[in-house]
Structures are given as structure tokens and as C-alpha cells.
Amino acid sequence: MTRDKSDDQTPWSQSITDVLAWADVSRDEGLSDEEVTRRLEQFGPNELREAEKRHWTAVLADQFKSFIILLLAVAGLAAFVMGDVVEAVAIFAVLAINGAIGFVTEMRAISSIESLQEITEIETRVRRTGAETTIPAGDLVPGDIVILEAGDLVPADLRIIEPSKLQVDESALTGESVPVGKTSDPLEEDVPLAERENMLYKGTYVTRGSVEAVVVSTGPDTELGHISASLREAAEEETPLQEKLDELGQKLVPFLLVVATIVLVSGWLRGQDLFLMVETAIALAIATVPEGLPIVATLVLARGMWRMADRNALVTNLASVETLGSTTVICTDKTGTLTENRMTVAEYELANGTVEVTGTGLETDGTFKQDDQELDEPQDPIVQEALEVGVLCTNASVTEHESEIETSGDPMEVALLIAGIKGGLDRDELLDSMPEAREVSFDPSVKMMATYHELNGAYTVAVKGAPEAVIDSATHVKTDGDTEALTDSDRAEWLEKGDRMAEDGLRVLALARKEVDSTETPPYEDLTLLGLVGFIDPPREEVKPTIQRCQDAGMRVVMVTGDHAGTARNIAHSVGLVDSADVEVIEGRELDDPETLSQAETDRFVNASVFARVNPENKLDLIDLHRTAGSIVAMTGDGVNDAPALKKADIGVAMGQRGTQVAQEAADMILRDDNFGSIYHAVREGRTIFNNIRKFVLYLMSCNLSELLAILIAALLGFPLPLLPLQILFLNVVTDIFPAFALGACEGSRDIMDRPPRDPEEPIMTRTHWGELGVYGLLISASTIGAFVIAGGMYVGGLETREAVTISFLTLAFAQLWHVFNMREITSGILRNEVTENLYVWGALGLSTLILFGAVYLPGISLALRTTPIGLDGWLVVFGMSLLPLGVGQLEREYRRRFETPTLPPILEKLTSSLP
Ligand code: ATP
């Protein structure tokens, strides 16, 4: 292929042969691997946003862009100018370590999110080197031969080679929401985009049929690429949680300014060295403003996404990870999510009685029984006709390969084909004598499907669909060897038969046919009803316990199905979704006029657990009702029509195996195994992640507050500094980072799914947490000052000695390390809880302890930090005092657990009530 990106081709005006010649590809062979590599290089990947990845140098530079870091650098320079080289080197070392940690964290978050995006990328079917394979859509190149079917997204701009009953939704490009038909014939050169019937454009999707086409442009060269070039600048959105963390940081700034001023002024008034005091104020600023919180939160969220992916739930955006944790209502479809979607025809209900079919699943040797008598061959003409319609009116296929059965298509249609084989009917043979002339695809709003078959110059129309739809369209019914008019009372009788089958848990379809002269005759008029067919679709085994667990976790599970009310009720009862076998089932049509609903009706719908005969619009209204009632709604879906509901729900859940690409693209979460249980695990993970973020935020903030208070209290008492500026920096940059990261990796506490969902409006730091923050901050700083005073008495020279300051520094450092155990949930045990069982926490404590010993005993570091060895009695003071906050913290947690007060004692509640 010789064209370059600026080539002005109009592939729609050329014949297929010309287009293929121009694209330099053979339709049957596709491109060779070398050619693909070459073209990838020439045209770039098939991606709209030309990898606007942030370069690592930009990420690195970002680490040093903060005002406080700048201040610190100035302080380092000042120290250097004043001749204090050790201090200057130490400050720059701290700056470097701080930058390195921030850089590594951010790069890890970025690469983690990027590789997640790769596994959720849409795939597409292509023909290359003569064979069909599936490749990531991003790897397509011009000239690739692509094969698409209903529900697939169009992955690039394509020229159609061979369409088959193809219809395409182009609303994303043209705004026109009615699907359009397509051809392969060449068109005039100047037809506008919306009328180019032999082209398929990226961003649109196939609603019906299938197509083979050749790629003419990819990525930014596509029409969508031209449009979206202007949108490319759109900033990466922050998740609500990241925003909240940013705000939290902002809120602390005024508080910090006040404290820093007090410290600075009081120190200066007492004649302390001004440079030392300024340096202390800068160190405190670094300590207090939690600039790193949002990025650590990102890392925790990304880690959560990976853990969810391990459990088969692919979450497509970080914000959903958070939302998942507060899900209150799960609206789930039935077929395939609650049931196995492995259907078997169990019985035919015909005018002359019930015919049972034996053999389950894909077994092809079953028998037909009537009144407990085995029928040798279902010779009965009505049975034959019913089987025939089931075999003709289908998109599925069943092939036998050396006694292996291979199937494709809707499992219900497969079941009808298998029933046909049991009765000696083979679809291909049947089609030889009556070839298919037209198909009217299944439409969920009509709930029927029809095919036209040519026979002796006329056409047989085979129809199947929901019983009420088919019975309503039928004017006659097949009885023993005859055709009789269908009266209203007959209709009622047939509907009742269908209801009875559904109440038994069968999925029911009605079968009908008619003879017409032309394929233009509408399909659903004057039908002759043949009978009903009932399918068994067993509930998934694991669903029952999972629904129970969801309910224990305070989430409501609501069944929203397109199926019959009876079937829905039966399955809902058998999977434990409702207690009673005759629970009220709401039919979708009751939701048809959402504006006119009374309050009583609204309440009834919001509290209902089973919805049947629901169409995609009803799903949207149901989401609205629940959301207005304050719920966070997860909704499952798989079809093209479900996409709007998936977008609208707080968490749209698409099925990875059964779902169409359109549904998957609209969804926030894709279940790789189509398993309802994966939603539960994802919610659990979502809750754990939020709690972990809360843990490390509370932990880091209380550590930082303790440093601030220690300095403030000392200043107010007229003491010298119990912590030197470099020591403060050291604590923040080196020691308390590790336990904080480790907290982000805790498993959820045992009872995390025994509690109701979190209110999504609930802030990360509730009033209770602010109260705890104050208490912990005070406890740790008080122990530090206590240790300082004791040390002051121990050494000749008092508080000013290097020993005393070393002791207060170490007391604070270790108190912070032990404090990690105060982060356990109130409901967890003292010894065995999610913090003590987290090996990362122990690793972090080990590492930080080693570093602290190094800070005292390694000459270079102790010189910079102005520490000194303190002897056994010194260490006794350090450990004694540093364990105090842990002891008090644990007592407080135990008190709250015993007396079941999840909040603080009343006096503290009062004190914190003015906080946000
Ligand atoms: P769920 O929403 O739980 O997946 P469903 O598959 O029954 O249930 P829809 O796909 O909306 O929901 O189908 C609605 C009804 O239309 C079905 O209950 C069935 O009666 C009928 N139906 C479904 N698929 C076909 C088909 N391929 N041909 C004819 N009728 C169909």
C-alpha cells in the first residue's frame, strides 16, 4: 500500500475490486504479518488519542513543583551559603528522597492503570495470512479484512465487501438514531457521510446481521478521529475521592499557617535562632499538607482494580471502584446471570396435549413422550410442524464433528435445533428444500422473530416469540390434522397454559406459521398458532448463597428480566431472591408512563424485587426511580439495547462472554465469567479500598498532627525544640511513609460485608475521624513531650542536650510506628485483625525500625540529624513512652466495641461538631 495519510481517497465511489487493489490486499488471504508490521509503523496504532502518555520526565518534574518544596530548596541553599554544608546536603537528600518516592508511586499508578486499560480493550475479528483471528482493535491497520456481527463496535473506517442483513446504528456520528441498512455497491463520489451506504465508520455499531469489510483508515485518520481531534485536550478527570483528598489538603493550609506563625514568633521572641525557626516552620508545612494523598489513593484504587480483575470483574474507570463500595441496589437480569443459560426443550404444549422431551443439555438422543407413552418418531404432524418452525426460525447453528457437538448462537435457539435433531430434523437439509428468503430479526419490543422460506413458488413464514405476542397475532390454531379459527376464549386458554408452564419455572415461547405469496407480506399477521414450547434453564448453583450474602451486606437484589412473570417469579424464588413463592411481580408496562406515577406506585416499584417483561426503556425509568429514592444502582445488561441503561446506572455491569461489545463499552464493569457472584466480590473490594484509603489518610494525618502539636506545645510551654527540622522531614519522608503504604493493602475486615453500604456522600474523614485525629495527635505529641521532659531530667544539661532531643525524636517515631495498629476497625479483634494480619505492615515496621536505628547509630546520618546514642535507660524511656498512645488507642477501641458506640464519647462528639 503506497498511500500516505494525506491521500484523498473516496473508497465509497470505487468497486470492491478497486478498493482491495488500492489497499493492496487479497480478500481471502488478508495481510501478511510483515505487511501488518510495516503498516503499523507507517500509520501508527488504531487509537484516537495518540498516546498522550505523560513522559516520565514530566512526572519527575511535577514532584518538585510545589511551593513548599521550593521553600525547602531555598532553605538548603541558605544553609549552604551560611557554611552549614552538612545541613544543606541533608536537606537536598530529603528533597531527593521525597521526589523519588513521589515519582515511583506516580509512575506505578500510571503504568498500572495503563495495563488495565489494555486488558479491557475491545477486540476485533480479522483475516490475516489466510486465517481468522481475534486481535486488539488498536492493532488494526489499513488493508485489514474485518468480520463484524450484531453487537460489535465498528473498530475503524471500513469499506463494506459483503454485508449480510446488515443494519448499523450511526447515531454517534450522524445523530440519527434509527439503524440504517447497508450495501456493497459503489456510490457517487460526492455523497455526504450520512448517506455512504457502503461504508462503516469508527464509533458506530452493528445492530443486526454481519459484514465483511476492509479497513480504509485507522486512528486519527478516521472520521471520528477528525471530530475528536478538537476534544483531545479534555483533561483527565479526577475521581470524587481524589477530589475530596485534594480538598482535605487545602483545608489544612490555614490551620498550618496559624501554627507555623505561633511557633516561629514564640521561638524568635525567646531568642532562638531565626533560621532554625524558619526551617522548622517549613518542615512543619511539609509535614502537614498531605500533598501525596491523592496519588497514594490512585495507587490503592489501581491496586483494587487489579484485584477485582483477578476475580473476573474488570472495572473500566477508577471512579467506579469507589462507587462500587456504596452500591445499595443490584438490578440483575435473569437469563445467564442468575440462570446458567444452558437451555433444553422440556416440553411442547400442543392442541392435542403435552409432548415431553427427554435428554438434557446438548445430548442429541432424546425421546418424545405423550401421556407417558414413548413416541417412536414424533409422526404427529403438529409435533413435526412445531419442531420444523423451531429449526427454521433461528440464527443459531449446531454441527456434529466426530460425535462432538459444536454450537453457536442464542442457547434457546440452540435448544430448539437440538430438539429438532432428536425428532430427525436437520436444519441444513430442511433449508435445501425450503431456502431462507428473508429474516425479520428478534426485536425485544415486539418479542418475536420470523423467517421466510421459499417452497413451491410460495413462502412459509416461521414465527417464534413470547406467548402473549404470538397468540395475539394468531387468527388460527393447528389442531389434530386441521386448522381452526382462534376465538378469544381459545386465546385466553392458551395464555393460561403458557402461564402454568412459566409458573413451573419454564421459559416459554410460542410457535406459529403461515403461508404467503411474497416476502413483502408483513410477518406478524394472520398467524396459525402451533403451540408452546417450554425450556428448562437451571438456576446457577452459586447464585443462591451469593444473593443471601448480598442481602446480609445491606444490598437489595432486584430481578429485571424480559421474560414472563411466572418464569421470573419461579426463578426468583428458587434462587432465594424472594421468600414467598407468590410474590408480586411488576410487569414492565406498568412503568410505561413514569411521569404519571403516584407516590404509592413509586413506593411499590422501589420496593419490588421482581420485574418481568421489561424492555430497555423500562430499565432507564427503574434506575431513575431508585436513584431518586437515594439508592446507588448497579444494573446488568448484555444487549445493544441495554447500553443506555448501563450508562445511566451508577455502575453499569456488562457480561464478558454473553455481552455485546456495545454493552461492554457502555459499562463501568465487565464480568469476564458472566457470574453474578463477581459483582459481590467487586463490591467487597470497593468497600475494602475505601476503608484502606481512610486508614492511611487518618494514619498519616494523625502522625503529621502529632509532629505539629509536639512543636506547638513545646513552643507554648517555652521549651526548646523537641524535634529539629531535619528530624521532622526525616520522619515524614522516610519512616511513616512505609506503614501508610502498607495500610493501603489491608484485606477487608471480616465483617466488612455484614454492614450496610456506606453513604456515598459520607466524607473520607467523618466527624468521628476528626475527633480521633485530634485524640491520637494529642496522645502521640504528649508522649513525645513527656519523654523529652523525662530525658531532660536524666541528663546533665537538661532539655537542650542532644540526648534529650534524640529521645523525643525516637519516641515520636516509634509512637507513630505502633500507632499503625490503632487503625484497625472498631469491630475487629485486638490481636487478630486486618492490620496485624497484613504482612506488608510488619515488613514496613521492620524496615522503618532499621532506618531509625541507622538514624542514631550510623555516623553520617546521625551527624545530619543531630542524634546521638542514648544508652539502655534512654531506650527504656523511648519504648515506654512510645507505647502509651498504642495502649490508650486500643483501650478506646475496645471501649467502643464493648459498648457498641461506633462514635466518640459525647464530649468529643460535641467538640468535633463544628468540623466539616
Ligand atoms: P433476560 O432479560 O433475563 O435476559 P429474556 O432473554 O427473556 O430475559 P429478552 O431478551 O428481552 O429477555 O426477551 C423477551 C422475550 O422475547 C423472551 O422472554 C422471549 O419470550 C422472547 N424472545 C427472546 N429471544 C427470542 C428469539 N431469539 N426469538 C423469539 N423470541 C424471543
Side-chain angles (χ1 to χ4, degrees), residues 233-463:
E233 300 308 318
E236 285 278 308
E237 262 181 57
E238 287 206 314
T239 77
L241 195 107
Q242 289 164 321
E243 274 170 20
K244 278 186 205 162
L245 286 173
D246 271 342
E247 275 169 31
L248 199 65
Q250 304 299 331
K251 263 188 211 156
L252 293 175
V253 172
F255 177 61
L256 164 82
L257 284 178
V258 173
V259 175
T261 318
I262 297 178
V263 169
L264 210 148
V265 172
S266 69
W268 190 41
L269 286 181
R270 283 188 20 257
Q272 297 254 12
D273 177 28
L274 183 61
F275 180 69
L276 179 72
M277 294 320 291
V278 170
E279 223 186 337
T280 308
I282 296 173
L284 283 181
I286 293 204
T288 328
V289 178
E291 288 184 307
L293 289 184
I295 188 69
V296 183
T298 311
L299 198 65
V300 175
L301 289 171
R303 180 176 176 275
M305 280 168 101
W306 275 109
R307 286 171 52 98
M308 290 183 190
D310 279 346
R311 302 210 72 148
N312 289 316
L314 299 179
V315 180
T316 55
N317 57 69
L318 280 184
S320 301
V321 178
E322 277 171 61
T323 319
L324 262 170
S326 36
T327 307
T328 54
V329 176
I330 304 176
C331 294
T332 170
D333 53 1
K334 170 181 71 67
T335 315
T337 314
L338 301 180
T339 68
E340 296 197 357
N341 204 14
R342 271 196 299 130
M343 306 225 189
T344 315
V345 171
E347 64 179 61
Y348 287 89
E349 189 66 45
L350 306 167
N352 59 353
T354 310
V355 175
E356 286 172 45
V357 188
T358 65
T360 51
L362 298 180
E363 286 171 30
T364 47
D365 32 63
T367 54
F368 293 79
K369 281 182 175 172
Q370 195 161 22
D371 301 328
D372 277 337
Q373 294 283 321
E374 202 161 296
L375 308 175
D376 281 346
E377 279 282 309
Q379 298 296 357
D380 190 322
I382 319 183
V383 184
Q384 275 293 334
E385 277 193 60
L387 285 177
E388 200 173 287
V389 165
V391 170
L392 287 174
C393 180
T394 195
N395 274 311
S397 73
V398 173
T399 41
E400 261 185 290
H401 259 305
E402 295 162 3
S403 76
E404 281 279 309
I405 297 279
E406 275 179 26
T407 67
S408 79
D410 181 343
M412 185 169 67
E413 296 191 338
V414 168
L416 286 170
L417 290 177
I418 299 263
I421 297 175
K422 287 176 184 167
L425 286 182
D426 179 80
R427 177 167 159 84
D428 287 339
E429 281 172 22
L430 212 54
L431 285 183
D432 284 343
S433 55
M434 38 198 318
E436 188 176 313
R438 179 185 169 198
E439 177 194 316
V440 183
S441 307
F442 170 68
D443 177 346
S445 55
V446 184
K447 298 197 215 75
M448 287 185 280
M449 151 172 187
T451 50
Y452 291 64
H453 301 269
E454 196 178 346
L455 187 65
N456 306 330
Y459 297 92
T460 294
V461 184
V463 176

Side-chain angles (χ1 to χ4, degrees), residues 429-719:
E429 281 172 22
L430 212 54
L431 285 183
D432 284 343
S433 55
M434 38 198 318
E436 188 176 313
R438 179 185 169 198
E439 177 194 316
V440 183
S441 307
F442 170 68
D443 177 346
S445 55
V446 184
K447 298 197 215 75
M448 287 185 280
M449 151 172 187
T451 50
Y452 291 64
H453 301 269
E454 196 178 346
L455 187 65
N456 306 330
Y459 297 92
T460 294
V461 184
V463 176
K464 71 179 196 310
E468 65 275 21
V470 177
I471 292 170
D472 205 35
S473 313
T475 48
H476 291 80
V477 58
K478 202 77 172 202
T479 58
D480 253 341
D482 209 358
T483 304
E484 289 175 11
L486 195 64
T487 64
D488 279 347
S489 74
D490 292 340
R491 284 200 180 86
E493 223 169 88
W494 278 102
L495 282 175
E496 213 173 285
K497 280 184 197 170
D499 290 349
R500 271 203 306 274
M501 289 164 79
E503 297 287 350
D504 287 341
L506 294 179
R507 188 171 160 87
V508 190
L509 280 191
L511 304 167
R513 67 189 291 162
K514 67 174 172 179
E515 315 303 324
V516 294
D517 295 333
S518 147
T519 52
E520 295 308 311
T521 317
Y524 306 127
E525 288 168 7
D526 304 327
L527 293 173
T528 300
L529 179 69
L530 300 172
L532 305 172
V533 51
F535 304 80
I536 294 177
D537 179 17
R540 280 175 178 250
E541 217 171 88
E542 69 285 1
V543 161
K544 191 167 183 170
T546 312
I547 288 186
Q548 182 60 48
R549 281 192 274 161
C550 286
Q551 288 166 346
D552 292 345
M555 293 183 286
R556 285 198 39 228
V557 181
V558 178
M559 180 195 278
V560 181
T561 175
D563 211 339
H564 187 286
T567 320
R569 184 185 290 118
N570 183 295
I571 301 285
H573 183 54
S574 65
V575 298
L577 198 146
V578 293
D579 295 333
S580 139
D582 44 36
V583 68
E584 183 192 30
V585 176
I586 312 274
E587 298 241 358
R589 68 186 131 77
E590 295 194 49
L591 288 167
D592 278 348
D593 281 318
E595 292 85 26
T596 61
L597 290 184
S598 67
Q599 189 53 45
E601 278 172 318
T602 306
D603 293 346
R604 199 173 125 238
F605 296 156
V606 167
N607 291 316
S609 296
V610 188
F611 290 80
R613 290 295 186 231
V614 169
N615 64 31
E617 292 82 60
N618 298 150
K619 287 190 183 178
L620 291 178
D621 296 329
L622 190 61
I623 294 174
D624 266 341
L625 286 179
H626 275 295
R627 292 185 52 164
T628 314
S631 298
I632 300 290
V633 189
M635 166 79 80
T636 70
D638 47 24
V640 168
N641 295 320
D642 289 332
L646 293 181
K647 282 216 175 102
K648 181 157 203 177
D650 296 287
I651 300 285
V653 186
M655 301 300 149
Q657 295 170 13
R658 193 160 34 94
T660 54
Q661 288 185 352
V662 177
Q664 291 177 8
E665 210 208 29
D668 302 296
M669 178 159 88
I670 301 167
L671 303 183
R672 271 203 280 215
D673 55 355
D674 289 16
N675 185 349
F676 181 75
S678 305
I679 305 179
Y680 173 83
H681 290 298
V683 170
R684 183 177 211 286
E685 196 61 43
R687 290 190 182 186
T688 305
I689 289 167
F690 187 84
N691 281 2
N692 285 349
I693 290 180
R694 187 173 256 173
K695 278 191 173 74
F696 85 67
V697 170
L698 180 60
Y699 175 74
L700 268 187
M701 286 184 47
S702 43
C703 287
N704 296 345
L705 181 69
S706 64
E707 293 155 22
L708 198 75
L709 288 179
I711 301 278
L712 182 68
I713 295 171
L716 293 177
L717 293 177
F719 288 178

